[in-house]
Amino acid sequence: MVQPEYNQAGDEVWFSVCNGKDQVSAIVVVDDKTRKLKHVIKDERLVTPTGKFAVYNTQPDIY
């Protein structure tokens, strides 16, 4: 499990579960306040599910 990211609203944390190409990868969604599992998103197209909200979370950053 890698790269936790907050959603745009800031109330969920989305974790990337990256596996090999012959295994199932997923995105695990957890409630920020309760830390309870809300949803697991699985799809064969999710090979390396990273950078999910980068456009929202890093837009005002200055590097």
Side-chain angles (χ1 to χ4, degrees):
M1 196 173 291
V2 298
Q3 194 174 10
E5 294 182 48
Y6 277 90
N7 65 343
Q8 187 177 8
D11 59 353
E12 296 174 343
V13 184
W14 290 42
F15 293 93
S16 299
V17 180
C18 298
N19 285 314
K21 65 180 183 178
D22 60 336
Q23 298 171 312
V24 178
S25 294
I27 297 173
V28 177
V29 183
V30 177
D31 185 275
D32 178 58
K33 297 221 183 297
T34 65
R35 305 287 196 249
K36 292 189 179 190
L37 178 66
K38 291 181 81 174
H39 192 66
V40 177
I41 301 168
K42 293 181 183 180
D43 191 294
E44 62 186 28
R45 296 172 292 179
L46 291 174
V47 179
T48 55
T50 58
K52 299 166 289 298
F53 301 103
V55 69
Y56 301 114
N57 293 343
T58 62
Q59 194 172 26
D61 291 355
I62 299 173
Y63 296 99

